[in-house]
Amino acid sequence: MADRPLSPHLSIWKWGPHMAVSILHRATGDGMAVVGLGTLLWWLGALASGPEAYETFLSVFTSPIGWVVLVGLSWAFFNHMSSGIRHFVLDLGAGYELRVNKQSSWASIASGIILTVLFWAAILLL
C-alpha cells in the first residue's frame, strides 16, 4: 500500500476562474431544477386553485424574499446559459489556450450578471 501513488488533491491544483465557472454551472443548474421547478409548480397550482391561492402566491413573490428568489432564478438562468455557451465552444475544440480560457471564464461570469441586470431593468422600466 505504501508504494501506491497518491491522487492529486486540492493543494496541488491551482485555483482558476474556470473552476469557479464549472462549480457555478453545476450549482445554477441544480438551483433552477429545485427552486425553479418548485416556484413553477406553486404558480401553476395557485392559478388552478383560484384567486385566493394566487393572491397568496403574489404576496410571497412581491415581498423582498420573493424578489430575491426571482432575481436569483434569473441570474441562475443567465449564468447557466453563458457557461453553457462557453462549454459548447470548448466542445468544438476552441478556447483551450490558458489566456483565452481565463478570459472566457470571466466573460461567462460577467455576462450572467450583465444579462440579469438588463433583464430586470427591462422588466421594471418598461
Side-chain angles (χ1 to χ4, degrees), residues 18 22 32 47 90 93 99 121:
H18 59 286
S22 177
M32 286 188 300
L47 279 175
L90 290 172
R99 182 183 59 79

Side-chain angles (χ1 to χ4, degrees), residues 16-64:
H18 59 286
M19 296 169 92
V21 169
S22 177
I23 292 168
L24 282 174
H25 186 77
R26 294 164 196 244
T28 55
D30 290 344
M32 286 188 300
V34 174
V35 178
L37 182 61
T39 303
L40 176 66
L41 291 176
W42 187 9
W43 177 66
L44 290 173
L47 279 175
S49 298
E52 290 179 12
Y54 191 69
E55 187 62 37
T56 302
F57 175 82
L58 281 181
S59 68
V60 170
F61 278 94
T62 55
S63 72

